[in-house]
Amino acid sequence: MFQVEINKAHAIFYMLPIDCPITVYFVIDTSESIALQTDPIESLVNHSKKFVTQFVNKLANEVYQQQISINWQIGGLHFSDIVIIFSSLTQDKALFNDRLKNIRYIGRGTFTDCALSNMTAQMPLNSLGANYAVVITDGHVTGHPCGGMKQQADRARDAGIKLFAVAPSQKIYEHGLQEIASLPHELFRNNYATLKKGSVDEDTETMDKIIQVMVRTDA
């Protein structure tokens, strides 16, 4: 888009930044394989919630290299053998974080394929923006009633969604995480974790790396 200013005999052209909406959808595993890893049983789920809150607060609307106007919208679900959408897509970070704060672990089994299928259905696939999913899980599944985790991850990718796989602890099934993550794994898996290794602090480096990939890939 161009804006023209006429100054006497000269025409001065200004290029306005191109709008680049980025959608980020959070898929949070709150099944038994996550919740029962620690005592108290909900602590890993709470760390995932803190990780997502801090991640969302880092998403700033900005003009990138004076050419691209980046704006964010966010949504999320959590899952076990059922799927609960806790926030539809919104640009209101405070509203999203309030909804996130209220989720509780479900327990029971882990049907990641159904979670990915529901995530894909929530995405604005016909929009001109970029679509990302941040999937927080250990890679473990107990069933696949929605066709299988890899099949649903491939379906999401075919729809133009890029998936990051983030581990909520050190007890993981790496093969499962790599089935979820888009390629190259150096960008979309890369040992991402919600917690710093050997610590109870949220891994801000993981947040920064993922956001950097999002911005640089689509800006």
Side-chain angles (χ1 to χ4, degrees), residues 13-97:
F13 292 85
Y14 296 95
M15 178 172 284
L16 299 179
I18 299 171
D19 285 335
C20 180
I22 300 179
T23 299
V24 183
Y25 204 93
F26 295 92
V27 179
I28 305 171
D29 187 342
T30 57
S31 66
E32 280 189 6
S33 70
I34 302 297
L36 297 183
Q37 286 189 29
T38 56
D39 184 21
I41 61 174
E42 203 166 355
S43 63
L44 277 183
V45 172
N46 288 333
H47 279 300
S48 292
K49 290 161 61 176
K50 290 178 183 177
F51 174 88
V52 172
T53 298
Q54 292 180 35
F55 190 112
V56 166
N57 289 339
K58 286 176 172 283
L59 301 178
N61 294 342
E62 61 180 326
V63 177
Y64 182 75
Q65 294 185 346
Q66 299 182 332
Q67 296 177 348
I68 306 295
S69 178
I70 296 173
N71 53 84
W72 304 87
Q73 64 174 345
I74 46 182
L77 62 80
H78 69 113
F79 73 98
S80 63
D81 56 0
I82 62 172
V83 174
I84 299 175
I85 296 170
F86 66 85
S87 178
S88 56
L89 292 174
T90 179
Q91 293 183 332
D92 188 332
K93 293 191 288 186
L95 176 62
F96 175 89
N97 284 333

Side-chain angles (χ1 to χ4, degrees), residues 116 119 131-135 152-153 156-157 161-165 180-183 188-189:
L116 295 177
M119 173 275 294
N131 294 321
Y132 292 96
V134 177
V135 184
Q152 289 300 335
R157 284 188 280 270
I161 304 167
K162 297 172 183 175
L163 292 86
F164 295 90
I180 293 169
S182 296
L183 295 175
F188 294 95
R189 174 64 190 105

